[in-house]
Every structure is written in C-alpha cells, then in structure tokens.
Amino acid sequence: MSGRLLTSTDLILVAYMPKPRDLEIARLLGWYRIPLATAPKVIAVDHLAFYQPASFGEDHRWRVEYVAPVRGHELVTRAELLRDEPDHPRAGEEYFKIQLGPLLRLPRPIHADGWKRFTFLYTTGEYLCKAETLSDLTVHDDERKRLWKALRERAASDHHYHTDLPEVDVQPEVLAALLGMGRTEEQTVSDEQMGQRS
C-alpha cells in the first residue's frame, strides 16, 4: 500500500467536503482547496479526514468516511485550480491547494450524531482510530495541551503562517475544507493500520 500509515500521534485536520465532485477531485487529481481568507491557522498536518454533508445523499451524508495523507500545500488562485470556472466571482481569490496522497476509506464511518454543521476540527490519529461520532474526535485535558503544542510547532515551521497559536486552552474547531490525492480505486485503512487491535 502506498502512502504513509496513520499513527496515533499524527495531527489530523477534519475538514468539510462540500460536494461529491470535490471528493472525486481529491481521489483522482490529488488535491483539496481551502480559501486563504477562511483557512485554519495550521494546515501543515499529517492527514486530512473529510466530513460529508447532506449533499452526499442518504447513504453517505453526515459522516467521515475517508482520510488522506497530506503531501504539501501551495497558494494558488481559484481560477488556477478550477480552470472550467474562469468567470466565477472568486476566480481571483487565493486558495491553499493541499496536495494529498491516496484517499483511504476508514474501516467504519464516523457519524455526525448531533453535529450537522461543521467546518474544521483538529484531532489526532489516536482519536480518529477510536471515534464513533464526531464528538469523540474532540481532544480533552492534557491531550489538548499536547495537541496545541504540536500545532504551534507546525505553525512556526510553516512559511505560510507566522501567527502564534494561543497558549491557553481553546476550542479546537476552526474554519474551511480539505482532502486527498489520487488513485482511481479506493484503498481501505484496515483496523490494524489504524492502530486497532482485534
């Protein structure tokens, strides 16, 4: 299997995947876009996981089913990303183009439960492996301090952001969306790869 396996200490950004077309772009073309104006403070994470809203239909809505390793990012205009929409009102705006590895299917979906409106959430590989609902992805207590320390270190090394993240205990939710690179066939993350033990 190509692509790096998920580990318990990986930094994960769970991001909103607006439409099935965006998931296909991630799968086939290997990128996901986030408007610079609404991007979370840190996008230099290890993996993106994708929250699928109502647009994904009854069998796939309101859940996270896929994760992809992040290979890098760059700033481009929307027009450069979506060449078939040159007259879009935001065509000249800057977006982060997140380059991704293969799109991997989780062994079981993570359901929204009560969370239907969603943009971004930081979590770790450990929490992603154990989660059954989106609320299970929320990092608490000392774990949250470690998460924010890791995010501050990533922010300091990311040349796109020089903003300090707060030292205080803050909510991990932020804003925007991202996703995966590609192969035309899906890959599945096994329970063993996710750190699960039978």
Side-chain angles (χ1 to χ4, degrees), residues 13-42:
L13 179 61
V14 184
Y16 181 79
M17 181 61 72
K19 296 184 169 130
R21 177 188 181 223
D22 297 303
L23 188 63
E24 285 308 298
I25 288 172
R27 183 193 323 277
L28 300 174
L29 301 180
W31 57 264
Y32 180 80
R33 70 183 186 274
I34 304 173
L36 175 61
T38 57
K41 287 194 177 286
V42 180

mmCIF file of all heavy atoms in Angstrom, residues 13-42:
data_model
loop_
_atom_site.group_PDB
_atom_site.id
_atom_site.type_symbol
_atom_site.label_atom_id
_atom_site.label_comp_id
_atom_site.label_asym_id
_atom_site.label_seq_id
_atom_site.Cartn_x
_atom_site.Cartn_y
_atom_site.Cartn_z
ATOM 1 N N LEU A 13 -6.502 17.021 10.488
ATOM 2 C CA LEU A 13 -7.472 18.089 10.314
ATOM 3 C C LEU A 13 -8.707 17.478 9.674
ATOM 4 O O LEU A 13 -8.635 16.948 8.564
ATOM 5 C CB LEU A 13 -6.914 19.202 9.429
ATOM 6 C CG LEU A 13 -7.852 20.375 9.155
ATOM 7 C CD1 LEU A 13 -8.247 21.094 10.448
ATOM 8 C CD2 LEU A 13 -7.217 21.362 8.184
ATOM 9 N N VAL A 14 -9.808 17.482 10.406
ATOM 10 C CA VAL A 14 -11.078 17.009 9.851
ATOM 11 C C VAL A 14 -11.698 18.209 9.166
ATOM 12 O O VAL A 14 -11.881 19.258 9.771
ATOM 13 C CB VAL A 14 -12.002 16.461 10.955
ATOM 14 C CG1 VAL A 14 -13.271 15.874 10.336
ATOM 15 C CG2 VAL A 14 -11.286 15.415 11.801
ATOM 16 N N ALA A 15 -12.004 18.053 7.881
ATOM 17 C CA ALA A 15 -12.430 19.182 7.065
ATOM 18 C C ALA A 15 -13.734 18.872 6.336
ATOM 19 O O ALA A 15 -14.026 17.727 6.005
ATOM 20 C CB ALA A 15 -11.338 19.523 6.048
ATOM 21 N N TYR A 16 -14.461 19.915 6.079
ATOM 22 C CA TYR A 16 -15.754 19.851 5.382
ATOM 23 C C TYR A 16 -15.521 19.586 3.889
ATOM 24 O O TYR A 16 -14.763 20.294 3.236
ATOM 25 C CB TYR A 16 -16.448 21.194 5.582
ATOM 26 C CG TYR A 16 -17.810 21.322 4.961
ATOM 27 C CD1 TYR A 16 -18.926 20.773 5.571
ATOM 28 C CD2 TYR A 16 -17.984 22.042 3.778
ATOM 29 C CE1 TYR A 16 -20.181 20.926 5.014
ATOM 30 C CE2 TYR A 16 -19.240 22.200 3.219
ATOM 31 C CZ TYR A 16 -20.339 21.627 3.842
ATOM 32 O OH TYR A 16 -21.579 21.781 3.293
ATOM 33 N N MET A 17 -16.152 18.549 3.348
ATOM 34 C CA MET A 17 -16.076 18.223 1.932
ATOM 35 C C MET A 17 -17.418 18.616 1.310
ATOM 36 O O MET A 17 -18.402 17.905 1.482
ATOM 37 C CB MET A 17 -15.831 16.717 1.770
ATOM 38 C CG MET A 17 -15.715 16.257 0.357
ATOM 39 S SD MET A 17 -14.360 16.983 -0.568
ATOM 40 C CE MET A 17 -12.961 16.179 0.144
ATOM 41 N N PRO A 18 -17.485 19.776 0.629
ATOM 42 C CA PRO A 18 -18.786 20.309 0.227
ATOM 43 C C PRO A 18 -19.654 19.391 -0.633
ATOM 44 O O PRO A 18 -20.836 19.211 -0.360
ATOM 45 C CB PRO A 18 -18.433 21.580 -0.559
ATOM 46 C CG PRO A 18 -17.061 21.932 -0.122
ATOM 47 C CD PRO A 18 -16.384 20.651 0.254
ATOM 48 N N LYS A 19 -19.054 18.778 -1.673
ATOM 49 C CA LYS A 19 -19.866 18.018 -2.629
ATOM 50 C C LYS A 19 -19.132 16.768 -3.082
ATOM 51 O O LYS A 19 -17.901 16.704 -3.031
ATOM 52 C CB LYS A 19 -20.158 18.886 -3.849
ATOM 53 C CG LYS A 19 -20.985 20.095 -3.510
ATOM 54 C CD LYS A 19 -21.343 20.874 -4.752
ATOM 55 C CE LYS A 19 -22.364 21.885 -4.358
ATOM 56 N NZ LYS A 19 -22.257 23.199 -4.678
ATOM 57 N N PRO A 20 -19.878 15.777 -3.574
ATOM 58 C CA PRO A 20 -19.224 14.580 -4.120
ATOM 59 C C PRO A 20 -18.195 14.905 -5.205
ATOM 60 O O PRO A 20 -17.174 14.222 -5.311
ATOM 61 C CB PRO A 20 -20.407 13.769 -4.681
ATOM 62 C CG PRO A 20 -21.572 14.152 -3.821
ATOM 63 C CD PRO A 20 -21.350 15.623 -3.523
ATOM 64 N N ARG A 21 -18.426 15.953 -5.984
ATOM 65 C CA ARG A 21 -17.440 16.344 -7.011
ATOM 66 C C ARG A 21 -16.093 16.679 -6.376
ATOM 67 O O ARG A 21 -15.036 16.354 -6.918
ATOM 68 C CB ARG A 21 -17.954 17.553 -7.806
ATOM 69 C CG ARG A 21 -16.940 18.047 -8.826
ATOM 70 C CD ARG A 21 -17.363 19.352 -9.479
ATOM 71 N NE ARG A 21 -16.373 19.761 -10.472
ATOM 72 C CZ ARG A 21 -15.934 20.989 -10.622
ATOM 73 N NH1 ARG A 21 -16.393 21.958 -9.861
ATOM 74 N NH2 ARG A 21 -15.037 21.272 -11.543
ATOM 75 N N ASP A 22 -16.107 17.331 -5.210
ATOM 76 C CA ASP A 22 -14.864 17.671 -4.517
ATOM 77 C C ASP A 22 -14.130 16.416 -4.044
ATOM 78 O O ASP A 22 -12.901 16.355 -4.055
ATOM 79 C CB ASP A 22 -15.151 18.593 -3.328
ATOM 80 C CG ASP A 22 -15.751 19.912 -3.782
ATOM 81 O OD1 ASP A 22 -15.122 20.597 -4.601
ATOM 82 O OD2 ASP A 22 -16.853 20.249 -3.315
ATOM 83 N N LEU A 23 -14.903 15.411 -3.637
ATOM 84 C CA LEU A 23 -14.292 14.142 -3.232
ATOM 85 C C LEU A 23 -13.636 13.463 -4.436
ATOM 86 O O LEU A 23 -12.544 12.898 -4.327
ATOM 87 C CB LEU A 23 -15.347 13.221 -2.608
ATOM 88 C CG LEU A 23 -14.825 11.934 -1.965
ATOM 89 C CD1 LEU A 23 -13.899 12.238 -0.788
ATOM 90 C CD2 LEU A 23 -15.979 11.051 -1.518
ATOM 91 N N GLU A 24 -14.280 13.537 -5.606
ATOM 92 C CA GLU A 24 -13.695 12.960 -6.821
ATOM 93 C C GLU A 24 -12.433 13.698 -7.244
ATOM 94 O O GLU A 24 -11.471 13.082 -7.712
ATOM 95 C CB GLU A 24 -14.718 12.942 -7.959
ATOM 96 C CG GLU A 24 -15.774 11.861 -7.791
ATOM 97 C CD GLU A 24 -15.166 10.487 -7.537
ATOM 98 O OE1 GLU A 24 -14.429 9.978 -8.416
ATOM 99 O OE2 GLU A 24 -15.397 9.916 -6.457
ATOM 100 N N ILE A 25 -12.419 15.020 -7.083
ATOM 101 C CA ILE A 25 -11.195 15.791 -7.367
ATOM 102 C C ILE A 25 -10.074 15.304 -6.459
ATOM 103 O O ILE A 25 -8.945 15.081 -6.904
ATOM 104 C CB ILE A 25 -11.445 17.302 -7.182
ATOM 105 C CG1 ILE A 25 -12.323 17.827 -8.327
ATOM 106 C CG2 ILE A 25 -10.125 18.073 -7.111
ATOM 107 C CD1 ILE A 25 -12.792 19.261 -8.141
ATOM 108 N N ALA A 26 -10.384 15.115 -5.184
ATOM 109 C CA ALA A 26 -9.383 14.632 -4.239
ATOM 110 C C ALA A 26 -8.883 13.243 -4.626
ATOM 111 O O ALA A 26 -7.689 12.968 -4.597
ATOM 112 C CB ALA A 26 -9.958 14.621 -2.829
ATOM 113 N N ARG A 27 -9.802 12.370 -5.008
ATOM 114 C CA ARG A 27 -9.459 10.997 -5.353
ATOM 115 C C ARG A 27 -8.645 10.914 -6.643
ATOM 116 O O ARG A 27 -7.627 10.234 -6.717
ATOM 117 C CB ARG A 27 -10.731 10.165 -5.507
ATOM 118 C CG ARG A 27 -10.475 8.698 -5.809
ATOM 119 C CD ARG A 27 -11.729 7.953 -6.269
ATOM 120 N NE ARG A 27 -12.943 8.348 -5.606
ATOM 121 C CZ ARG A 27 -13.363 7.893 -4.422
ATOM 122 N NH1 ARG A 27 -12.627 7.037 -3.758
ATOM 123 N NH2 ARG A 27 -14.499 8.311 -3.914
ATOM 124 N N LEU A 28 -9.091 11.620 -7.662
ATOM 125 C CA LEU A 28 -8.485 11.495 -8.992
ATOM 126 C C LEU A 28 -7.336 12.465 -9.249
ATOM 127 O O LEU A 28 -6.372 12.118 -9.930
ATOM 128 C CB LEU A 28 -9.552 11.666 -10.070
ATOM 129 C CG LEU A 28 -10.702 10.648 -10.025
ATOM 130 C CD1 LEU A 28 -11.768 10.995 -11.035
ATOM 131 C CD2 LEU A 28 -10.181 9.236 -10.237
ATOM 132 N N LEU A 29 -7.442 13.685 -8.731
ATOM 133 C CA LEU A 29 -6.427 14.703 -9.016
ATOM 134 C C LEU A 29 -5.470 14.944 -7.850
ATOM 135 O O LEU A 29 -4.443 15.588 -8.008
ATOM 136 C CB LEU A 29 -7.105 16.021 -9.417
ATOM 137 C CG LEU A 29 -8.021 15.939 -10.644
ATOM 138 C CD1 LEU A 29 -8.640 17.291 -10.941
ATOM 139 C CD2 LEU A 29 -7.270 15.398 -11.862
ATOM 140 N N GLY A 30 -5.854 14.469 -6.665
ATOM 141 C CA GLY A 30 -4.950 14.525 -5.528
ATOM 142 C C GLY A 30 -4.813 15.863 -4.843
ATOM 143 O O GLY A 30 -3.740 16.182 -4.338
ATOM 144 N N TRP A 31 -5.886 16.649 -4.805
ATOM 145 C CA TRP A 31 -5.811 17.902 -4.052
ATOM 146 C C TRP A 31 -7.159 18.294 -3.475
ATOM 147 O O TRP A 31 -8.194 17.820 -3.906
ATOM 148 C CB TRP A 31 -5.239 19.047 -4.886
ATOM 149 C CG TRP A 31 -5.944 19.372 -6.180
ATOM 150 C CD1 TRP A 31 -5.600 18.928 -7.422
ATOM 151 C CD2 TRP A 31 -7.085 20.208 -6.364
ATOM 152 N NE1 TRP A 31 -6.465 19.438 -8.366
ATOM 153 C CE2 TRP A 31 -7.381 20.231 -7.752
ATOM 154 C CE3 TRP A 31 -7.894 20.950 -5.494
ATOM 155 C CZ2 TRP A 31 -8.448 20.962 -8.283
ATOM 156 C CZ3 TRP A 31 -8.957 21.666 -6.027
ATOM 157 C CH2 TRP A 31 -9.225 21.667 -7.410
ATOM 158 N N TYR A 32 -7.063 19.175 -2.484
ATOM 159 C CA TYR A 32 -8.231 19.741 -1.816
ATOM 160 C C TYR A 32 -7.954 21.226 -1.641
ATOM 161 O O TYR A 32 -6.816 21.619 -1.418
ATOM 162 C CB TYR A 32 -8.438 19.057 -0.471
ATOM 163 C CG TYR A 32 -9.625 19.564 0.293
ATOM 164 C CD1 TYR A 32 -10.908 19.149 -0.001
ATOM 165 C CD2 TYR A 32 -9.457 20.482 1.322
ATOM 166 C CE1 TYR A 32 -11.995 19.635 0.709
ATOM 167 C CE2 TYR A 32 -10.544 20.968 2.030
ATOM 168 C CZ TYR A 32 -11.806 20.535 1.713
ATOM 169 O OH TYR A 32 -12.883 21.013 2.400
ATOM 170 N N ARG A 33 -8.990 22.059 -1.711
ATOM 171 C CA ARG A 33 -8.785 23.507 -1.639
ATOM 172 C C ARG A 33 -9.413 24.115 -0.390
ATOM 173 O O ARG A 33 -10.454 23.668 0.072
ATOM 174 C CB ARG A 33 -9.350 24.193 -2.885
ATOM 175 C CG ARG A 33 -10.868 24.197 -2.965
ATOM 176 C CD ARG A 33 -11.351 24.826 -4.269
ATOM 177 N NE ARG A 33 -12.790 24.964 -4.291
ATOM 178 C CZ ARG A 33 -13.637 24.020 -4.680
ATOM 179 N NH1 ARG A 33 -13.176 22.854 -5.087
ATOM 180 N NH2 ARG A 33 -14.931 24.237 -4.669
ATOM 181 N N ILE A 34 -8.737 25.157 0.114
ATOM 182 C CA ILE A 34 -9.248 25.932 1.246
ATOM 183 C C ILE A 34 -9.024 27.402 0.922
ATOM 184 O O ILE A 34 -7.893 27.799 0.650
ATOM 185 C CB ILE A 34 -8.517 25.617 2.550
ATOM 186 C CG1 ILE A 34 -8.560 24.133 2.879
ATOM 187 C CG2 ILE A 34 -9.090 26.417 3.703
ATOM 188 C CD1 ILE A 34 -7.712 23.769 4.080
ATOM 189 N N PRO A 35 -10.075 28.229 0.982
ATOM 190 C CA PRO A 35 -9.852 29.672 0.765
ATOM 191 C C PRO A 35 -8.890 30.230 1.805
ATOM 192 O O PRO A 35 -9.024 29.956 2.996
ATOM 193 C CB PRO A 35 -11.251 30.278 0.926
ATOM 194 C CG PRO A 35 -12.209 29.134 0.767
ATOM 195 C CD PRO A 35 -11.480 27.913 1.245
ATOM 196 N N LEU A 36 -7.923 31.002 1.367
ATOM 197 C CA LEU A 36 -6.949 31.605 2.281
ATOM 198 C C LEU A 36 -7.657 32.436 3.351
ATOM 199 O O LEU A 36 -7.285 32.395 4.526
ATOM 200 C CB LEU A 36 -5.970 32.479 1.490
ATOM 201 C CG LEU A 36 -4.952 33.276 2.311
ATOM 202 C CD1 LEU A 36 -4.047 32.349 3.116
ATOM 203 C CD2 LEU A 36 -4.139 34.187 1.409
ATOM 204 N N ALA A 37 -8.698 33.152 2.958
ATOM 205 C CA ALA A 37 -9.390 34.054 3.877
ATOM 206 C C ALA A 37 -10.042 33.325 5.055
ATOM 207 O O ALA A 37 -10.222 33.914 6.123
ATOM 208 C CB ALA A 37 -10.445 34.858 3.127
ATOM 209 N N THR A 38 -10.397 32.061 4.881
ATOM 210 C CA THR A 38 -11.088 31.327 5.947
ATOM 211 C C THR A 38 -10.324 30.089 6.391
ATOM 212 O O THR A 38 -10.879 29.230 7.077
ATOM 213 C CB THR A 38 -12.500 30.913 5.492
ATOM 214 O OG1 THR A 38 -12.408 30.127 4.312
ATOM 215 C CG2 THR A 38 -13.381 32.134 5.247
ATOM 216 N N ALA A 39 -9.061 29.982 6.023
ATOM 217 C CA ALA A 39 -8.270 28.800 6.360
ATOM 218 C C ALA A 39 -7.992 28.715 7.852
ATOM 219 O O ALA A 39 -7.846 29.737 8.518
ATOM 220 C CB ALA A 39 -6.948 28.828 5.589
ATOM 221 N N PRO A 40 -7.888 27.500 8.378
ATOM 222 C CA PRO A 40 -7.486 27.355 9.784
ATOM 223 C C PRO A 40 -6.039 27.812 9.956
ATOM 224 O O PRO A 40 -5.301 27.944 8.985
ATOM 225 C CB PRO A 40 -7.630 25.850 10.041
ATOM 226 C CG PRO A 40 -7.583 25.211 8.714
ATOM 227 C CD PRO A 40 -8.107 26.208 7.730
ATOM 228 N N LYS A 41 -5.632 28.048 11.202
ATOM 229 C CA LYS A 41 -4.297 28.592 11.471
ATOM 230 C C LYS A 41 -3.177 27.667 11.019
ATOM 231 O O LYS A 41 -2.106 28.119 10.643
ATOM 232 C CB LYS A 41 -4.145 28.905 12.956
ATOM 233 C CG LYS A 41 -4.929 30.122 13.378
ATOM 234 C CD LYS A 41 -4.485 30.587 14.739
ATOM 235 C CE LYS A 41 -5.189 31.843 15.169
ATOM 236 N NZ LYS A 41 -4.731 33.023 14.472
ATOM 237 N N VAL A 42 -3.399 26.363 11.073
ATOM 238 C CA VAL A 42 -2.360 25.405 10.690
ATOM 239 C C VAL A 42 -2.943 24.423 9.676
ATOM 240 O O VAL A 42 -3.937 23.750 9.958
ATOM 241 C CB VAL A 42 -1.836 24.624 11.918
ATOM 242 C CG1 VAL A 42 -0.747 23.632 11.510
ATOM 243 C CG2 VAL A 42 -1.318 25.579 12.979
#
